[in-house]
Amino acid sequence: MKKAFFALPLLFLQLWASAQGNRTEMADTFRSNGKIYVVVAVILTIFAGIILYLVRLDRKISRLERHRD
């Protein structure tokens, strides 16, 4: 059981590493049509929203902690 516990992550690591060499048609299509910039813009917008939410949440929590004291 212990060997299987360590062998399973190694199997997934090997599969992931072998998949890195393959070119995907979807990425090539997005790149050739210029839509990759739309995908990048959407991802950056989502991350910016998450960061903004976390900053505002931290400020609110800090304010509540100061009022509690």
Side-chain angles (χ1 to χ4, degrees), residues 6 8-9 11-12 15 17-18 21 25-26 29 31 34 42 63:
F6 289 111
L8 193 59
L11 175 67
F12 286 126
L15 289 173
S18 67
E25 289 183 29
M26 183 176 60
T29 305
R31 216 174 284 118
V42 168
R63 192 173 349 124

Side-chain angles (χ1 to χ4, degrees), residues 14-32:
Q14 190 273 336
L15 289 173
W16 178 73
S18 67
Q20 296 298 313
N22 298 339
R23 303 267 307 168
T24 59
E25 289 183 29
M26 183 176 60
D28 291 336
T29 305
F30 278 157
R31 216 174 284 118
S32 67

Side-chain angles (χ1 to χ4, degrees), residues 1 3-4 9 13 16-17 20-21 31-32 36-38 40 42-43 45-47 51-53 59 61-62 69:
M1 182 69 181
K3 288 182 183 181
L13 181 65
W16 178 73
Q20 296 298 313
R31 216 174 284 118
S32 67
I36 193 71
Y37 301 113
V38 175
V40 170
V42 168
I43 290 171
T45 304
I46 290 170
F47 279 129
I51 290 171
L52 181 65
Y53 172 74
R59 287 182 183 171
I61 290 172
S62 297
D69 291 338

